[in-house]
């Protein structure tokens, strides 16, 4: 078996219940699969959203607040519990975690970019699972316009991943919005992000997260332009990760350029 490096991104809707509280069953399933992928000899970096969602659960909010200030506070509150749960589950399966909070503009600066790359390499060498999120408290711009889909593509490039796996609340990339159009079909392989493909990406995602198909496409564009394949699939069944690693066709594969 050839050792591979995977970046796995998981969205808020795959980690939290509708009321914002953490979905422990889903998180544990995901952790178990990642631990097992590592047991098989691969390397994994996890990019996880869910801090704001988890923060909403902590303070008892059902609706995501509109103000940036509120979102930043919720991210700070939620991140602690989110990482505590991840760390607890990973430890049960024999792995330790490291928290990495990044901002996009930091990765645009060479010295910091290199320092982040070295830190990732060291953590991976220690067998630790780096868990990445945006540093939401200081990333005003990222919270308002950004998203972890794009961040995960940056991270995939930063750590020179073999594959980026984006787990969402949708089975793949459709040729129409499946929530509105019953005839919508998944596109199994996207070789080029053409204008037609872009026109299929409707609007936003769930009320608890930030991304939608547009940000998934942006991430796919960034990853594939940097020589990395990206698979978009549903986070409901983290076991799909095994099949993706085996090369089976699950969800949508965006082919690298
Ligand atoms: N960084 C945000 C959080 O952890 C989410 C960003 C996103 O939903 O893409 O809650």
């Amino acid at each position: 078996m050839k050792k591979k490096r995977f970046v796995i991104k998981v969205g808020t809707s795959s980690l939290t219940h509708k009321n914002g509280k953490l979905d422990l069953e889903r998180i544990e399933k995901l952790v178990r699969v990642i631990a097992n992928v590592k047991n098989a000899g691969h390397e994994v970096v996890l990019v996880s959203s869910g801090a704001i969602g988890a923060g909403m659960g902590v303070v008892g909010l059902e609706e995501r607040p509109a103000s940036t200030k509120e979102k930043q506070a919720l991210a700070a509150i939620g991140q602690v519990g989110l990482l505590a749960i991840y760390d607890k589950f990973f430890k049960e399966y024999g792995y330790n975690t490291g928290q990495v909070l990044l901002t996009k503009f930091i990765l645009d600066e060479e010295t910091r970019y290199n320092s982040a790359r070295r830190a990732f390499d060291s953590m991976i060498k220690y067998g630790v699972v780096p868990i990445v999120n945006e540093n939401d408290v200081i990333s005003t711009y990222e919270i308002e316009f950004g998203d972890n889909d794009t961040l995960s593509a940056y991270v995939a490039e930063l750590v020179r991943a073999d594959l980026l796996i984006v787990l969402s609340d949708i089975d793949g990339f459709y040729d129409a919005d499946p929530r509105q159009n019953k005839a919508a079909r998944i596109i199994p392989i996207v070789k080029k992000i053409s204008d037609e493909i872009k026109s299929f990406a409707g609007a936003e995602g769930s009320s608890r997260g930030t991304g939608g198909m547009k940000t998934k496409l942006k991430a796919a564009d960034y990853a594939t332009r940097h020589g990395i394949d990206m698979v978009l699939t549903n986070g409901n069944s983290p076991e799909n990760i095994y099949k993706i690693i085996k090369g089976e066709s699950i969800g949508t594969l965006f082919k690298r350029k």
Side-chain angles (χ1 to χ4, degrees):
M1 182 215 68
K2 189 178 168 293
K3 176 167 84 179
K4 289 205 169 145
R5 187 171 283 190
F6 301 107
V7 170
I8 298 175
K9 186 261 167 177
V10 61
T12 304
S13 53
S14 306
L15 299 170
T16 51
H17 292 286
K18 287 215 164 59
N19 63 12
K21 300 260 186 206
L22 293 175
D23 188 333
L24 298 176
E25 195 184 335
R26 290 264 196 89
I27 298 176
E28 185 173 19
K29 247 199 227 169
L30 173 68
V31 167
R32 193 175 55 186
V33 170
I34 293 175
N36 205 25
V37 168
K38 282 181 66 64
N39 282 350
H42 299 296
E43 297 167 340
V44 180
V45 172
L46 178 62
V47 176
S48 178
S49 304
I52 297 172
M56 286 164 54
V58 173
V59 303
L61 279 184
E62 299 242 335
E63 288 292 315
R64 201 175 163 91
S67 103
T68 300
K69 186 172 79 191
E70 288 291 302
K71 283 189 270 197
Q72 289 175 314
L74 292 171
I77 296 165
Q79 178 74 9
V80 183
L82 182 65
L83 266 283
I85 293 291
Y86 272 126
D87 194 61
K88 173 181 151 49
F89 286 147
F90 270 112
K91 282 199 165 67
E92 284 175 11
Y93 291 106
Y95 289 100
N96 291 306
T97 62
Q99 174 182 251
V100 184
L101 295 176
L102 288 176
T103 46
K104 275 189 269 179
F105 63 85
I106 278 185
L107 296 183
D108 289 337
E109 207 263 296
E110 197 184 340
T111 316
R112 291 181 170 142
Y113 176 94
N114 288 332
S115 119
R117 177 176 265 181
R118 282 193 298 270
F120 273 109
D121 281 341
S122 299
M123 276 187 275
I124 292 169
K125 193 182 76 205
Y126 285 129
V128 158
V129 182
I131 305 180
V132 187
N133 198 353
E134 279 191 29
N135 192 348
D136 288 323
V137 171
I138 61 158
S139 310
T140 312
Y141 174 83
E142 278 73 10
I143 284 191
E144 289 193 339
F145 305 107
D147 58 89
N148 277 10
D149 296 323
T150 314
L151 177 72
S152 70
Y154 273 66
V155 169
E157 193 272 326
L158 178 71
V159 304
R160 305 177 194 89
D162 294 292
L163 179 68
L164 168 62
I165 300 173
V166 174
L167 302 174
S168 180
D169 56 357
I170 194 156
D171 291 343
F173 189 79
Y174 284 80
D175 58 6
D177 186 343
R179 289 169 299 189
Q180 283 160 21
N181 185 343
K182 285 220 154 50
R185 291 280 165 270
I186 288 192
I187 305 175
I189 299 189
V190 173
K191 290 195 178 131
K192 185 169 182 288
I193 301 173
S194 59
D195 287 345
E196 189 193 18
I197 292 286
K198 283 186 195 150
S199 74
F200 296 151
E204 61 292 324
S206 73
S207 60
R208 283 167 292 146
T210 305
M213 279 307 125
K214 283 214 169 85
T215 63
K216 306 282 179 294
L217 265 196
K218 227 170 107 189
D221 185 48
Y222 188 89
T224 54
R225 270 195 289 116
H226 289 84
I228 301 164
D229 287 342
M230 176 181 128
V231 172
L232 171 66
T233 188
N234 203 315
N236 279 343
S237 329
E239 289 82 2
N240 279 345
I241 292 172
Y242 296 134
K243 296 184 185 162
I244 292 167
I245 289 177
K246 279 194 207 135
E248 288 178 32
S249 172
I250 302 276
T252 300
L253 166 65
F254 294 88
K255 284 296 287 174
R256 62 175 173 261
K257 302 210 163 85

